[in-house]
Every structure is written in C-alpha cells, then in structure tokens.
Amino acid sequence: MRAIWKGAVSFGLVSVPVKLYSATESHDVSFRQVHAKDGGRIKYQRICSIDGEEVAYADIAKGYETEDGEMVILTDDDMAELPSTSSREIAVEKFVPSDQIDPMLFEKSYYLEPEKTGAKPYALLRQALLDADRMAVVTVALRQRTTVAVLRVREDVIVLQTMMWPDEIRQPDFSIDIGEVKDAEVAMANMLVETLAGDFDPSEFEDDYAEAVESLVKAKIEGGEVKKTPTSTKSSGEVVDLLAALQRSVEAAKTARGEATDETSDDDSKPAAKKSTTKKTAAKKTAAKKTAAKKKAS
C-alpha cells in the first residue's frame, strides 16, 4: 500500500506521527458503454444546454444551483476565499463510548501506521481505546477540507473513519402502521431469530455476481466472441494509420506540383523519358530555325 497522507495524532501533550492508508477498495463489476455493432467505446461531449455548443474544458466553471433553479457562477478567486486548511494534525476532541455513534455516519476508512518514533505512543493509544471500549472523536483536514472522524481499533491497528455531517443523514419521510401484533406472532419471530442466530464471518459471503460475470466473459473469450477494436488492443495500428496519412499527404503535394510520386515513378518511368526526349528534340528544332534565320539575314 502507498501512504496517501502523513501527519500526527495529537491528544493532550502527546503527538503520534502517523501515515494514512486507504483501508478499502471497490471490487464492484463495471461495464463500459460500447457500440453493439463493433464494440467501439461511446464518447461523451461537453455540450452547453443553452446554446448546444461543445464547451472547451478551459471554459468550464463551477456553478452552484439554488433551490429555485438559478445558477450562481463561482470563479477561482471565489473558491480561493473559502475556508480551507492544510493542517497535518489529527486532533482528538473527546473519547466517547463506542455504542454512541451510529454506523450510518461512517463514510471512508483508513489505516493509521505509526512512524518509527511514534510506535510506543501509538501502542499506548491503541490499548487505551481497547480498555475503555471507546472511540476517539477527531477533526482532520483531508483534501484541504476539515472533517469529523473517529479512531477505533481493528485487529491491533488504529483505523480512522471519516464521518458524514449530521445534516447529511436523511430522515425517513414515511411511517409504518403495523396494526395489532399478537403475542404468538412475537414469539414466533423470536424463535426465528434464535434459529438463525450466529456469529458474523465475512468469509462466508461471496460476491457471486462478480464471479458470474467473470465466468461469462471468460467463456465468451474462449468462444472467440471478442470485438477487436483499436482501443482494446496494444497493436501499433494508430501509428500505421498516421504514417499512411502522412504518405498520402506527401503524394498529394507532389501530384499538385506535377512531380512523380512513389506509386507512379516505376510505372511512369518510360513515359517520363519520352516526354524528356520530346522536349530535347523540340529544343534542337528551335535552335536550327534560329541559325537558318541568321544566315538569311547575313
């Protein structure tokens, strides 16, 4: 893994220099949109919804859309005035009981690795979190934005998990009317829970969809059902096309100047020689006429 951030965890007068690593990665199956006829990738253009013209990347600005649909354009100067921070500190604000934080607030997970000089205070913080069964609520600046996160222990490693802001959690706008619940129904539900009770083991679950897609793709490859497109091969096709285009351009320029091209030089060598001989004969006849005229005049 490659560290994506370096800083220090600070609580009280203790500072623990650490490195930050992304703790998760997505294995979700992704597909590309392609032309069903030949497998070519579908490209998208940046088209303005007002004038219908394609917009260059340099002309694209940030816009904030208000609730009534109006658009406010924000310039680079406007963005520079927004509050940002480049602090390299993970500041512990307080230690809270682990069961007080709703898992729905968790967003992104990172591993914290101590630098060599911070190994001992790192271990002390880790043990303190385990013994107290608490999480450390911290503030940290990632990508120049301050966010709230927690520190917790997972398999002897301190994990930093960024959190969503409270107003980012949506409230359900529906209610559930269950009517009357009988004691017998509750007892049966409890029995079902006890029947299926167990410990969570993530290795028991597999992404059967991703495996099915991989098997399907493998079968199609083995069956020869593959579209050979320029973007899906590592051949030098684009270079060959470029050379061919340049060659055609050179030949067109030579033709425009009346010069022999590479394609016609071999086949037209004899006619070209005849034309040259004809020109020489005509020149001799002209010179003979001029000489005769001078003799008559004398």
Side-chain angles (χ1 to χ4, degrees):
M1 293 188 294
R2 182 175 62 88
I4 61 174
W5 186 91
K6 290 184 179 182
V9 178
S10 63
F11 57 104
L13 299 178
V14 180
S15 180
V16 186
V18 294
K19 299 177 183 178
L20 197 69
Y21 301 87
S22 181
T24 61
E25 59 183 0
S26 176
H27 289 163
D28 192 17
V29 176
S30 60
F31 299 99
R32 298 190 181 277
Q33 290 187 326
V34 297
H35 188 190
K37 179 181 179 181
D38 52 22
R41 294 183 182 181
I42 304 301
K43 295 183 177 180
Y44 293 92
Q45 295 177 313
R46 298 178 291 268
I47 304 297
C48 177
S49 61
I50 297 178
D51 57 26
E53 295 182 358
E54 185 175 359
V55 181
Y57 186 79
D59 295 331
I60 296 179
K62 290 181 173 62
Y64 183 89
E65 187 172 5
T66 63
E67 293 182 357
D68 56 2
E70 293 184 348
M71 194 66 67
V72 180
I73 306 299
L74 301 177
T75 65
D76 292 340
D77 293 337
D78 294 330
M79 299 299 296
E81 294 178 359
L82 294 177
S84 63
T85 179
S86 57
S87 171
R88 291 289 174 174
E89 181 185 35
I90 301 174
V92 176
E93 305 296 336
K94 61 177 64 176
F95 295 94
V96 302
S98 299
D99 58 4
Q100 285 189 0
I101 299 179
D102 188 343
M104 186 176 286
L105 288 168
F106 294 146
E107 189 173 23
K108 181 73 176 175
S109 301
Y110 301 91
Y111 289 130
L112 287 182
E113 178 192 21
E115 300 279 7
K116 291 183 179 179
T117 57
K120 187 172 182 178
Y122 180 97
L124 293 174
L125 174 59
R126 179 184 62 194
Q127 193 61 44
L129 291 173
L130 288 173
D131 292 345
D133 190 22
R134 288 176 178 264
M135 295 184 183
V137 177
V138 303
T139 53
V140 57
L142 297 175
R143 299 180 181 87
Q144 297 185 336
R145 288 189 60 183
T146 300
T147 186
V148 178
V150 297
L151 301 181
R152 67 180 185 86
V153 180
R154 179 182 185 274
E155 297 179 356
D156 294 332
V157 176
I158 297 179
V159 176
L160 181 145
Q161 289 186 282
T162 58
M163 300 172 65
M164 304 183 73
W165 298 103
D167 60 357
E168 293 179 317
I169 303 298
R170 301 176 63 185
Q171 298 297 322
D173 58 357
F174 57 86
S175 59
I176 302 174
D177 184 9
I178 60 175
E180 183 182 357
V181 179
K182 299 179 181 179
D183 292 340
E185 295 171 334
V186 174
M188 186 61 67
N190 291 336
M191 184 181 298
L192 176 60
V193 171
E194 290 300 323
T195 302
L196 296 177
D199 295 323
F200 176 65
D201 182 2
S203 63
E204 295 178 354
F205 302 91
E206 297 180 353
D207 188 356
D208 54 353
Y209 180 79
E211 292 180 357
V213 171
E214 291 177 359
S215 299
L216 175 62
V217 171
K218 182 178 180 181
K220 283 185 170 288
I221 292 175
E222 293 176 349
E225 298 182 49
V226 180
K227 296 290 186 182
K228 299 293 185 180
T229 60
T231 55
S232 63
T233 179
K234 294 184 179 179
S235 69
S236 56
E238 293 184 1
V239 177
V240 174
D241 292 342
L242 176 60
L243 291 175
L246 290 173
Q247 182 64 34
R248 288 195 296 269
S249 299
V250 171
E251 292 173 355
K254 287 183 176 181
T255 301
R257 293 197 301 265
E259 299 179 9
T261 63
D262 293 340
E263 293 181 353
T264 60
S265 58
D266 293 338
D267 296 337
D268 296 345
S269 59
K270 292 181 180 180
K274 289 182 179 179
K275 291 178 180 178
S276 178
T277 303
T278 302
K279 289 180 178 179
K280 290 180 179 179
T281 303
K284 289 181 180 179
K285 289 182 178 180
T286 303
K289 288 182 180 180
K290 290 182 178 180
T291 301
K294 290 181 178 179
K295 288 182 179 180
K296 288 182 180 181
S298 59

